Amino acid sequence: QVQLVESGGGLVQAGGSLRLSCAASGSIFSINRMGWYRQAPGEQRELVASITDGGTTNFADSVKGRFTISRDNAKNTVYLQMNSLKPEDTAVYYCNAGLIVALPTFRYLEVWGQGTLVTISS
């Protein structure tokens, strides 16, 4: 089985910073893409940022210039550095990965983490 575990969420004042981490574990053949989504109460889950195995990044317009995404392939870990945080960034942040497993056969899977709560106070 493959598991994504997020960490780094918490309560931060507006203007502050947080770094979220997501570590993938299990029998993973390769990870093609990792990203972060967020969902605020009453709102749809939205893509925040993603990064491919080739390093191509994508950001939501609302976080461009404030957030950065990076990954450590050796650790199967993706990071989301969040700066200049705003109250509207408050949400549960979910890690997502598109990856290949080899057992029981080669398959492409979409895997989600359990989410970590980020709360930005004003």
Side-chain angles (χ1 to χ4, degrees):
Q1 289 185 305
V2 176
Q3 185 179 31
L4 303 181
V5 179
E6 302 103 331
S7 62
L11 175 63
V12 180
Q13 293 184 0
S17 298
L18 277 176
R19 189 172 80 152
L20 305 183
S21 299
C22 173
S25 62
S27 298
I28 301 169
F29 182 78
S30 64
I31 300 178
N32 296 327
R33 173 193 50 78
M34 298 188 78
W36 292 92
Y37 291 72
R38 68 186 181 187
Q39 187 169 24
E43 299 183 11
Q44 294 182 327
R45 187 173 299 186
E46 65 172 349
L47 175 68
V48 178
S50 64
I51 185 168
T52 70
D53 55 353
T56 301
T57 59
N58 188 34
F59 296 92
D61 289 341
S62 59
V63 307
K64 288 180 179 178
R66 299 189 297 121
F67 291 9
T68 58
I69 188 169
S70 61
R71 64 187 294 177
D72 185 335
N73 292 333
K75 297 181 178 180
N76 286 339
T77 299
V78 64
Y79 305 94
L80 184 68
Q81 179 66 48
M82 304 185 292
N83 300 323
S84 301
L85 285 162
K86 304 175 180 179
E88 52 262 43
D89 294 318
T90 296
V92 177
Y93 285 69
Y94 297 91
C95 182
N96 171 260
L99 52 84
I100 302 292
V101 298
L103 298 173
T105 186
F106 284 98
R107 295 176 295 164
Y108 181 82
L109 301 178
E110 292 283 340
V111 185
W112 291 89
Q114 81 288 345
T116 185
L117 178 63
V118 172
T119 303
I120 312 302
S121 62
S122 60

